[in-house]
């Protein structure tokens, strides 16, 4: 839980605006993100249902994305094991966390889950994340829409941009796994050093 709070503090303190909060009310909000992923719907789906590959471990209770798993069927769990590793490399589970529960799953098309993510878990709210996949030529358009509603002590005008940043980050990380190799390896142009300029 402490990691979640730190992440939210960092996001709330950022100066850039979060433009994807599409709707707010006194008791809830909606965030939407859409991107085109350089992969087939089948391949993107297989990656989505393996959250350990793309969900940022900083947004977890254990701090390690390897502890995530998802059962992509109705009633299935998007969960996290609270594991520790001893000095002699023996792993043991001290507990678990249910982040979301699967409401709807259709291979290669849609995944809908219910759950209040992160610090919202301690509030009296319901959250619904709908992940949609649609063919776009040889690529796949992927949307993340997360709707939250209910009673919470967080001010909506602060928590909504923070959650928006977290949801947007996960979609960006998912898409990055399918980035063309040359794009993934490309490094940003850098200014030459002062002594190089003088030559």
């Amino acid at each position: 839980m402490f990691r979640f709070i730190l992440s939210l503090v960092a996001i709330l303190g950022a100066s850039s605006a979060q433009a994807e909060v599409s709707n707010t009310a006194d008791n809830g909000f909606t965030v939407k993100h859409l991107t085109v992923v350089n992969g087939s719907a089948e391949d993107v789906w297989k990656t989505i249902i393996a959250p350990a590959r793309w969900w940022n471990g900083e947004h977890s209770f254990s701090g390690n994305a390897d502890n995530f798993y998802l059962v992509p069927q109705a009633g299935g769990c998007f969960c996290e094991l609270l594991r520790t590793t001893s000095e002699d490399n023996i792993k043991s589970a001290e507990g678990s966390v249910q982040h979301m529960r699967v409401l709807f799953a259709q291979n290669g098309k849609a995944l809908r889950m219910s759950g209040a993510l992160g610090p919202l878990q301690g509030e009296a709210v319901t959250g619904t994340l709908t992940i949609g996949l649609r063919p776009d030529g040889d690529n796949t358009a992927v949307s993340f829409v997360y709707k939250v509603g209910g009673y919470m002590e967080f001010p909506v005008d602060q928590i909504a941009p923070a959650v928006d940043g977290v949801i947007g980050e996960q979609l960006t990380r998912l898409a990055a796994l399918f980035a063309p190799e040359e794009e993934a390896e490309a490094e940003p142009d850098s200014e030459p050093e002062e002594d190089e300029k003088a030559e």
Side-chain angles (χ1 to χ4, degrees):
M1 177 63 90
F2 184 62
R3 290 178 185 275
F4 280 122
I5 299 298
L6 287 179
S7 296
L8 284 177
V9 168
I11 292 170
L12 289 170
S15 59
S16 59
Q18 301 293 338
E20 299 296 332
V21 178
S22 63
N23 188 34
T24 61
D26 290 342
N27 63 341
F29 58 91
T30 300
V31 300
K32 295 181 179 181
H33 289 269
L34 172 68
T35 193
V36 176
V37 176
N38 185 34
S40 68
E42 180 182 1
D43 289 341
V44 174
W45 173 261
K46 289 178 180 177
T47 303
I48 286 173
I49 62 175
R53 295 186 58 195
W54 54 276
W55 196 279
N56 189 343
E58 288 299 311
H59 303 298
S60 70
F61 284 82
S62 65
N64 185 349
D66 289 341
N67 293 328
F68 285 128
Y69 66 92
L70 194 159
V71 180
Q73 62 184 28
C77 191
F78 171 24
C79 289
E80 175 186 357
L81 295 175
L82 300 179
R83 297 191 294 190
T84 58
T85 304
S86 63
E87 291 181 5
D88 52 359
N89 203 34
I90 295 176
K91 293 179 173 57
S92 60
E94 297 182 343
S96 59
V97 181
Q98 176 180 281
H99 292 284
M100 289 187 276
R101 179 174 47 85
V102 176
L103 302 175
F104 177 87
Q106 187 173 14
N107 291 1
K109 293 185 177 180
L111 178 67
R112 178 171 295 124
M113 299 181 287
S114 176
L117 293 170
L120 293 173
Q121 189 180 80
E123 304 296 314
V125 299
T126 299
T128 302
L129 175 64
T130 301
I131 300 176
L133 293 83
R134 179 178 51 80
D136 186 353
D138 294 331
N139 302 319
T140 304
V142 181
S143 60
F144 280 21
V145 179
Y146 189 49
K147 298 181 179 181
V148 175
Y151 173 76
M152 60 185 145
E153 294 185 346
F154 292 108
V156 170
D157 62 345
Q158 294 180 25
I159 192 68
V163 172
D164 175 61
V166 171
I167 296 297
E169 177 193 2
Q170 308 324 307
L171 180 53
T172 298
R173 289 171 59 89
L174 172 69
L177 293 177
F178 293 88
E181 190 172 326
E182 61 274 11
E183 181 180 319
E185 293 179 354
E187 295 185 6
D189 294 335
S190 57
E191 288 293 320
E193 298 293 334
E194 289 300 320
D195 54 351
E196 291 177 350
K197 291 180 181 179
E199 290 179 357

